[in-house]
């Protein structure tokens, strides 16, 4: 499984540049194409579980129900 470090190394840019690109930040136009090509070649996908560990936010909501079989819920 490819990491963001692998993408940065293949694209010839820094890890922070790849991170900015992935999160919608501003990146130089000449860096966009190599990053896209590296992502496609390595089949890189963001791992949401690792992102949650790093940011310490899961963006999940817990719901407690007394009885899930009741039609009211």
């Amino acid at each position: 499984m490819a990491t963001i470090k692998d993408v940065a190394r293949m694209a010839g840019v820094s890890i922070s540049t790849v991170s900015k690109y992935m999160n919608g930040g501003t990146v130089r136009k000449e860096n966009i194409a190599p990053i896209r090509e590296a992502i496609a070649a390595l089949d890189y996908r963001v791992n949401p579980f690792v992102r949650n560990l790093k940011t310490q936010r899961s963006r999940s909501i817990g719901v407690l129900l007394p009885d899930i079989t009741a039609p009211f819920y």
Side-chain angles (χ1 to χ4, degrees), residues 20-51:
K20 278 186 198 178
Y21 173 78
M22 297 295 290
N23 293 313
T26 55
V27 179
R28 290 183 182 172
K29 292 180 182 178
E30 61 265 13
N31 291 337
I32 293 174
I35 293 172
R36 283 184 184 166
E37 292 169 5
I39 289 170
L42 295 172
D43 194 31
Y44 175 75
R45 300 192 194 284
V46 175
N47 187 333
F49 299 112
V50 174
R51 178 176 276 182

Side-chain angles (χ1 to χ4, degrees), residues 41-62:
L42 295 172
D43 194 31
Y44 175 75
R45 300 192 194 284
V46 175
N47 187 333
F49 299 112
V50 174
R51 178 176 276 182
N52 292 344
L53 287 173
K54 182 70 175 171
T55 62
Q56 296 181 352
R57 302 184 92 187
S58 66
R59 297 186 179 220
S60 298
I61 298 174

